[in-house]
Amino acid sequence: MSGRRGTRAGVHRAPNDVKKIGFLSFGHWSTSAYSQVRSGSDALIQSIELAEAVEELGADGAYFRVHHFAQQLASPFPLLAAIGARTKRIEIGTAVIDMRYENPLYMAEDAGAADLIAGGRLQLGISRGSPEQVVDGFRHFGYVPAEGQSDADMARQHAEVFLGVLSGIGFAEPSPSPMFPNPPGLLRPEPHSPGLRDRIWWGAGSRPTAEWAAGQGLNLMSSTLMTEDAGVPFHELQAEQIRLFRDAWAVAGHQREPRVSVSRSIFALVDDRDRTYFGRGNQESDQVGYLDAQTKAIFGRSYAAEPDVLVKQLAEDTAIQAADTLMLTVPNQLGVEYNAHAIESILKYVAPELGWR
């Protein structure tokens, strides 16, 4: 097992370095015949159960996507708090929260409470948002961009307020006649969780956005897609994004080492179930498409093969090599038992051969 080359900001990670490995779930549910997740209740309870299972297996994290107006996980903090109360070691996070929909002060209270319940294990991915199920869904939540401002501008503004609150610095003038005695000075939303500010990540789908995130002192969640098509394989474009992020981090002079994650669909074919689900018809090359009429994007390939083949394929994925954290996207509707098996197969047959364990 290889060690770290260094811990100074801006130092690039060595290929095949030790990695944190967790899962990323969208928390879908449906009444389709194949689905073992039939309702929102099923999705939430099974998410908690899968987090418990992967902790027992020795994995490192449980992450959840946030989508509004869809039969998927949406309000993350009750779920994160529940997992925090039922686990002891794994990181618990989001990938990602759409900041167009968020009240940043209320979010800071929820995040602080969930992080304290978990003992400081939250790793929150946030972003400017992506195409949603409805038109301008954030307007239904009461948020409208100011004149001359885009919805992306509004999301970044919400993020800036959220990050400022997480600093723990008081800013609200106390009432001269409070219901309860106040501590001296200006007040802040409570509960405050020290250290959470350093565990906020930005979901970036382009190279300039990654550089912006570095300037803000945010960890990088490199997206499952890039809103650029530079004519090179997805993993190479993503690795370039990570390099630019680390360079910008060093220039910004932050004192801590940043975290970087990538997510992939990876399945080791070790039994008949794996071969039935993923043994044929998998996406073995990158795909180029459009998120909307104006936004062209490149989507990374998925991996499904016998473990020895997977090891060779993944060794050539330069973005995975450059990241310290790998999120395995899971087909959550196949149920807790199968998803725990799929993650265990990576931990047991693939990760050790690549030096990730």
Side-chain angles (χ1 to χ4, degrees):
M1 184 182 299
S2 61
R4 295 183 183 272
R5 260 188 200 170
T7 57
R8 292 181 294 108
V11 174
H12 291 226
R13 296 177 61 83
N16 300 337
D17 206 355
V18 177
K19 299 190 188 303
K20 291 183 180 292
I21 301 175
F23 72 84
L24 171 60
S25 174
F26 281 47
H28 295 279
W29 71 85
S30 75
T31 56
S32 301
Y34 71 86
S35 178
Q36 295 189 36
V37 187
R38 315 287 288 180
S39 66
S41 175
D42 288 345
L44 289 162
I45 297 301
Q46 290 189 31
S47 294
I48 297 168
E49 292 173 347
L50 183 57
E52 291 180 293
V54 300
E55 179 171 77
E56 186 173 343
L57 291 171
D60 303 299
Y63 289 81
F64 302 92
R65 185 67 167 92
V66 178
H67 274 133
H68 302 286
F69 297 102
Q71 290 188 334
Q72 300 175 39
L73 298 173
S75 53
F77 293 107
L79 176 61
L80 300 179
I83 293 173
R86 295 270 289 268
T87 59
K88 297 184 182 302
R89 180 186 54 79
I90 58 171
E91 297 179 340
I92 311 162
T94 53
V96 288
I97 297 172
D98 186 334
M99 292 303 292
R100 296 175 298 179
Y101 287 76
E102 296 297 323
N103 176 320
L105 272 71
Y106 202 151
M107 181 178 172
E109 291 181 342
D110 282 348
D115 195 43
L116 291 171
I117 290 170
R121 290 183 283 134
L122 257 60
Q123 302 283 344
L124 294 180
I126 63 177
S127 83
R128 55 155 284 182
S130 59
E132 290 288 312
Q133 296 297 106
V134 299
V135 176
D136 291 346
F138 47 86
R139 294 177 181 268
H140 296 288
F141 279 54
Y143 303 114
V144 180
E147 185 175 354
Q149 185 184 58
S150 70
D151 61 317
D153 294 332
M154 181 178 69
R156 291 193 181 191
Q157 183 181 51
H158 286 182
E160 288 169 3
V161 174
F162 174 63
L163 295 170
V165 174
L166 291 186
S167 71
I169 298 172
F171 57 88
E173 182 179 354
S175 169
S177 303
M179 182 177 295
F180 308 105
N182 281 322
L186 300 177
L187 303 182
R188 66 191 183 190
E190 300 287 357
H192 172 68
S193 184
L196 180 56
R197 172 60 176 82
D198 287 344
R199 288 179 274 115
I200 307 300
W201 307 54
W202 189 263
S206 70
R207 289 170 289 185
T209 304
E211 292 177 295
W212 174 85
Q216 303 301 309
L218 296 166
N219 302 304
L220 175 65
M221 282 186 174
S222 189
S223 177
T224 52
L225 59 87
M226 298 280 285
T227 55
E228 307 173 88
D229 181 13
V232 300
F234 175 81
H235 72 95
E236 293 183 10
L237 182 60
Q238 195 174 42
E240 171 70 3
Q241 179 198 44
I242 294 170
R243 184 188 67 77
L244 291 171
F245 168 80
R246 292 188 180 279
D247 289 346
W249 185 278
V251 169
H254 303 302
Q255 296 304 303
R256 64 179 180 87
E257 183 179 5
R259 296 277 302 277
V260 175
S261 73
V262 297
S263 56
R264 293 286 189 275
S265 294
I266 305 172
F267 298 96
L269 307 182
V270 301
D271 66 17
D272 290 341
R273 289 178 300 172
D274 302 323
R275 296 181 186 95
T276 297
Y277 290 139
F278 302 107
R280 59 182 181 277
N282 292 290
Q283 181 188 316
E284 296 184 354
S285 60
D286 300 333
Q287 302 292 315
V288 176
Y290 286 85
L291 296 178
D292 53 44
Q294 292 79 37
T295 309
K296 189 177 183 180
I298 180 171
F299 301 80
R301 60 161 296 180
S302 59
Y303 296 91
E306 304 292 331
D308 59 330
V309 176
L310 270 185
V311 168
K312 295 176 182 178
Q313 293 175 336
L314 295 172
E316 297 176 355
D317 191 313
T318 55
I320 294 179
Q321 291 176 12
D324 59 75
T325 301
L326 173 62
M327 299 181 192
L328 302 171
T329 57
V330 295
N332 74 287
Q333 290 184 85
L334 295 181
V336 173
E337 181 183 358
Y338 179 75
N339 280 289
H341 155 77
I343 294 166
E344 182 180 27
S345 295
I346 300 300
L347 296 174
K348 184 176 180 180
Y349 300 114
V350 177
E353 297 300 317
L354 287 163
W356 299 348
R357 276 292 186 269

